[in-house]
Structure formats: C-alpha cells, structure tokens
Amino acid sequence: MKHSLLALSLLGLTCCSEDKPTSPDAPRPVIVQTVAEAQGDEIRTFSGIVKASDSATLGFEVPGRITAIFAEAGQSYKKGEVLAQLDVANLESDLRRATAEAQQMNSELQRVQQLFESENTSRAKLDSAIAAQKAAAANVEIAQKKVSDGTLVMPYDGVIESLLLDEQGVVSAGTGLLTIQGNGKMKILISVPAELINQIKVGMRATVTVGRIAPNSLPAAVDRVFPQAAKNGTYQISLTLDQAPEKVLGGMDAEASLTFANVNGPTLQIELAAVVGNPLGDPYVWVVKDSTVSKRSVTTGKIRAEGQIEILSGLTPGEQVATRGVNQLIEGQSVKISGTP
C-alpha cells in the first residue's frame, strides 16, 4: 500500500512536470541596415581653414604709444573710417618745427632772388637758397605724413577679423595691430593625400561647412591646386565659396567635401560596425532573414566616408545585415528588428 501511494505520488509529480510549458528564448533585438545599390562615387571630407581672399594685417607706419583702438572684432567698417590712434604729440611738434623752418627758407629765397635780380649776389647763392627751400618743403611733407600715419584707417570696405594688441601699448613701425578681411569671396585651404591629387582640377565643385557658424553645406569650387607637396606628403588645395554668411571670418575651422571616382568601380557599402573580423578566415556579417540571423563571409574593400566600408563580394542589394551587438549573435538565433541606422 505504501509503495502504491509512493508510485502514484511520483507519477503525479512527473505528470505535473511534463504538463508545465517551457518558454522559448525571446528574440534578440537588433538594428539592421539594408544593403543599398552599388555606388560608384566616393565623397571625401577634409579639414581646413577659412581664408579671406583680400585679408591683411594692419599696423602703424610710425612708432608710438596706442592711445585708442576704435575697431571691434567682427564689425564692418567703410574705407577711410578710423580704426586706431597713436599719441602724435611729438610728431605734431616736429611738424611745427618743419613748418617754421620752411617759412624761414621761403623768406630767405625771396631775399636772395631780389639780390640776384639786382646783381648783388651770385647764381650759386641763388641755387643754394632754392635747394634749401625745396628741402624744407620736403621735410614738411614728411612730418605731415608721420602725423597722418599716427591714425590708422580702414583701407577698403571690410570686416575686422581680430585685434592683436591693446590700448596703451608701445609699438614699433610695422607692428601688426589688427587683421581685416574685405568684402571679396572667402576661401578654404585644405590638404589632400597624394593619391587623390590627380583627380582634383580647378573648377571642381565641393561643399563646405564652418562649424556652428555655417553648419549647412555651402557651395564652393576649387580655384587652385598647389603643385608642391608639404613635408607630410599632402598637397594644399584652395577653394572659393560661392557665397558665405557675414559671420564666416578668416581663421575659422572648416570642412570641405569633394566627390571622387571610385577606383574599384561601383561597390556596395555597409556600416563598418556590421563587419566582424575573423582571425581564422574571411570577415563576415550577420544576415537577417525571416527573423533569424546567419553568418555570411564577405570580401571587403576600403573604408569610405562616414563609417562605411566597401563590400566587394558576399552581399546583394536589398539584404539586411545587423549593425549592433554583432559579437553577441549566434548562428540561427531568433531576432527582432528594433531599428535602422
């Protein structure tokens, strides 16, 4: 009786255990990319710097102490507007002395001319008086220019890029005080690797962004290809913007994108993150089909712009590949598409 009860109890436990359903593993969420049609062109982006086509560094042509700087960085000024002023007290004193000496030489010349006309002096003394009067007049012009040079004015319509010195500073002649740019078109200077230089021609179109100042693409064109390589083996390229916002100033960082022909011809491209390196063979991707993943070997080309990589064989347009968590997937695993890049 005891054995029968025990057998019934075990049978009951077994039946209960067999009747309890076993829940399968939940599908793993994956982000997928659909393989697009083959592309033949390649967009490459290069860092560069903005350069004004008519930029200049201005400074006083005479030494002295800066008493005032009226210019403000980023502000526009018309030709002839005053930008800064030196202390010209000593220069004005020199001008007064030169003017007084010139007046004295004029009077002396008049006196000698009268004597010469009355034949009371020689031609040599008249010539000497004429030379002295001309020298005194030239000294006045020099002194006047020095006083004028103590005032720095805008040479043409444009914008102040930056101020290099402060008020009350003592400067030598020719010391840069501020940089300006005119209203001409802005340029972008970039450097490109040697393998691309033969594809770049004057007139080639490009797009440019200038950080937060001009985050949207600005049309531009190549205007010069420098023939000499830099020490790092790159070549400098100059591009001219068709039109730039007023806030785009020389010295700002920029990026220029140009389109090049792909040497491999039209190729498929997928996210680099979708490709898994395989130390025992070819790299592979996880192809998503019918809610499961399967491993697929691929032949890769070069890495392209914006984190893409060429796929030379192994995939066809329209297939979907996993782009996230690829190292945690297993063959035949159930997945659920949760998004696309």
Side-chain angles (χ1 to χ4, degrees), residues 16-277:
C16 292
S17 177
E18 290 177 352
D19 291 341
K20 186 177 181 180
T22 302
S23 60
D25 293 337
R28 185 182 184 88
V30 292
I31 295 177
V32 300
Q33 177 184 9
T34 300
V35 181
E37 294 291 337
Q39 300 180 26
D41 292 333
E42 176 183 9
I43 298 177
R44 297 284 296 272
T45 301
F46 307 93
S47 297
I49 190 168
V50 178
K51 191 80 172 178
S53 58
D54 50 0
S55 62
T57 299
L58 301 184
F60 293 103
E61 295 184 22
V62 291
R65 179 176 60 84
I66 304 171
T67 58
I69 297 177
F70 306 107
E72 295 182 15
Q75 296 298 312
S76 298
Y77 293 87
K78 297 292 185 181
K79 178 180 178 179
E81 285 193 77
V82 177
L83 303 178
Q85 179 66 53
L86 282 182
D87 181 356
V88 293
N90 291 335
L91 299 177
E92 290 174 337
S93 178
D94 293 341
L95 175 59
R96 287 192 293 270
R97 282 195 296 270
T99 301
E101 184 177 349
Q103 292 173 345
Q104 183 179 351
M105 291 301 101
N106 285 336
S107 298
E108 178 64 12
L109 176 59
Q110 291 176 359
R111 187 185 71 81
V112 173
Q113 281 179 328
Q114 292 174 353
L115 291 174
F116 179 75
E117 290 171 358
S118 63
E119 298 182 352
N120 289 317
T121 190
S122 65
R123 179 69 191 187
K125 287 187 177 180
L126 176 61
D127 290 343
S128 178
I130 292 174
Q133 187 274 336
K134 288 183 177 179
N139 288 338
V140 171
E141 291 183 1
I142 293 173
Q144 286 176 333
K145 185 178 185 304
K146 287 183 177 180
V147 171
S148 176
D149 287 343
T151 301
L152 189 63
V153 299
M154 195 74 174
Y156 42 75
D157 294 355
V159 178
I160 304 299
E161 285 185 348
S162 61
L163 300 177
L164 307 178
L165 298 174
D166 298 321
E167 291 183 358
Q168 305 306 318
V170 177
V171 295
S172 302
T175 301
L177 173 62
L178 47 81
T179 58
I180 64 172
Q181 66 179 43
N183 293 329
K185 291 186 175 181
M186 305 298 291
K187 294 181 179 290
I188 308 295
L189 296 180
I190 62 173
S191 295
V192 302
E195 64 266 21
L196 296 175
I197 194 64
N198 290 330
Q199 294 191 53
I200 300 177
K201 308 296 181 184
V202 172
M204 184 176 180
R205 301 298 297 176
T207 57
V208 171
T209 58
V210 187
R212 296 181 179 178
I213 299 298
N216 298 323
S217 296
L218 302 171
V222 174
D223 63 73
R224 184 179 179 187
V225 179
F226 291 81
Q228 186 66 39
K231 291 182 179 180
N232 61 1
T234 62
Y235 287 80
Q236 193 172 58
I237 306 297
S238 172
L239 305 98
T240 299
L241 288 170
D242 293 354
Q243 190 173 4
E246 291 185 0
K247 292 183 178 181
V248 175
L249 303 176
M252 290 182 172
D253 293 330
E255 288 189 338
S257 298
L258 296 93
T259 302
F260 299 90
N262 186 2
V263 295
N264 291 327
T267 58
L268 302 178
Q269 297 177 40
I270 63 173
E271 281 195 15
L272 181 60
V275 180
V276 184

Side-chain angles (χ1 to χ4, degrees), residues 284-298:
Y284 62 89
V285 298
W286 290 105
V287 177
V288 179
K289 184 178 181 182
D290 298 331
S291 299
T292 59
V293 292
S294 59
K295 185 184 296 185
R296 177 88 60 82
S297 294
V298 293

